[in-house]
Amino acid sequence: MPNTPAGPSPIHNPDGTISAVVLSVSPPDAPFRLLRLWLPPGAAETPACGRFWMARCAEDTPLARAQDWSIYLRRPLPAAGVPETIAAGAGERLDLLLGHDADLGAAWLAARPPGSTVNLLGPFGRPFALPPNSRALLVLTLPAYAPLWLPAIHDMLDRGGRVTLVTPPTAAAESLRARLPLAVELRAARDAVDWSQHLAETVRWADHLCAALPASHYQPLADEIRRVRFRVDPGFAHVYLEADLACGFGACLACAVPLPDGGMTRACQHGPIFPLERVTV
């Protein structure tokens, strides 16, 4: 059972926000940065996959929330794992994915010491869960986004299924091995040709596909699925679309995502995980 720090406990604030307690932050040389938080009871809704919280990047006090707007935009922090109960009635521990340190807000969050608090709004986003009859999961992802699919990976392994994770050509792929469950098969593509070969082989047997790739990869992915499986079955593949999640409510329209039919959708309300057939032709 995870230990709780000796400082404050997480709370639901009267203004509707959450004061979460920092447990740890991944080291700077990790393939991805995780902010491990202690959330109050009921704050970590399940399924966690596809959910995100909006973090305020300034001191978590009522006075600061009212007056300090030095880094005024909240930063979206996607769930990067399965919530774990700390103790009965004490809340849950949850890993959230930090952005790049080049962003001032992400850098501020990465520097929070254990026992300090971070002010959150959420969760937002449409939750994603694997179909109950799936037994073979294929994950296509850049290393930096692999944690987004950890809830689905653990779900598949818990039901006795098979998980294969394939990364495009990147120097960071090998560093993922120590960060994934031992039962996950990791295939790191050496070049574009190797990527295509892995894709053709693994798409053939997968019951479900999850991908976190550059948006330009999703139409070729849909074309490859059709080549191998003749069609993209509804609900067979889900993809993460990176968008500017500025408000979490869809009011600012910064997260608007164009659709193949000429329409638009909002990633914070209807995503950021979408069925592949919804965003490709």
Side-chain angles (χ1 to χ4, degrees), residues 112-134:
R112 294 303 85 203
S116 61
T117 61
V118 173
N119 187 260
L120 303 177
L121 279 172
F124 302 102
R126 178 165 292 186
F128 164 74
L130 290 171
N133 59 342
S134 293

Side-chain angles (χ1 to χ4, degrees), residues 35-278:
L35 178 65
R36 179 163 292 178
L37 296 178
W38 176 17
L39 301 178
E45 298 180 9
T46 55
C49 200
R51 309 308 296 271
F52 64 94
W53 283 256
M54 302 296 294
R56 177 177 168 80
C57 304
E59 294 300 331
D60 183 25
T61 65
L63 181 62
R65 292 201 296 273
Q67 298 182 0
D68 183 4
W69 298 94
S70 54
I71 308 178
Y72 62 93
L73 283 179
R74 289 178 177 262
R75 272 31 176 211
L77 303 179
V82 179
E84 299 180 23
T85 300
I86 286 184
E92 295 82 30
R93 179 182 73 173
L94 181 64
D95 288 338
L96 301 179
L97 184 62
L98 277 175
H100 195 276
D101 274 357
D103 171 70
L104 291 177
W108 187 90
L109 291 167
R112 294 303 85 203
S116 61
T117 61
V118 173
N119 187 260
L120 303 177
L121 279 172
F124 302 102
R126 178 165 292 186
F128 164 74
L130 290 171
N133 59 342
S134 293
R135 290 297 181 271
L137 173 63
L138 171 61
V139 179
L140 309 173
T141 183
L142 295 170
Y145 293 100
L148 298 174
W149 300 114
L150 282 176
I153 289 172
H154 285 290
D155 180 13
M156 181 58 72
L157 294 178
D158 288 345
R159 63 177 74 172
R162 169 186 180 184
V163 178
T164 296
L165 188 148
V166 185
T167 67
T170 171
E174 286 301 317
S175 62
L176 274 178
R177 292 193 186 275
R179 301 274 175 163
L180 295 172
L182 289 175
V184 174
E185 177 192 9
L186 175 63
R187 300 189 183 193
R190 297 183 300 272
D191 50 38
V193 173
D194 196 35
W195 166 257
S196 296
Q197 291 175 343
H198 282 307
L199 187 58
E201 178 184 340
T202 54
V203 162
R204 192 178 309 277
W205 52 254
D207 291 336
H208 201 88
L209 184 154
C210 294
L213 301 168
S216 60
H217 283 53
Y218 291 145
Q219 186 58 56
L221 174 60
D223 295 340
E224 178 64 15
I225 292 172
R226 290 191 184 94
R227 187 186 71 80
V228 174
R229 302 173 65 105
F230 305 108
R231 64 176 184 173
V232 180
D233 290 314
F236 166 70
H238 282 79
V239 299
Y240 174 80
L241 276 182
E242 191 169 16
D244 293 325
L245 304 173
C247 74
F249 298 96
C252 67
L253 299 182
C255 67
V257 174
L259 298 176
D261 61 5
M264 304 286 287
T265 189
R266 293 170 294 177
C268 65
Q269 292 289 298
H270 305 120
I273 293 176
F274 292 91
L276 178 63
E277 71 271 12
R278 175 113 168 99

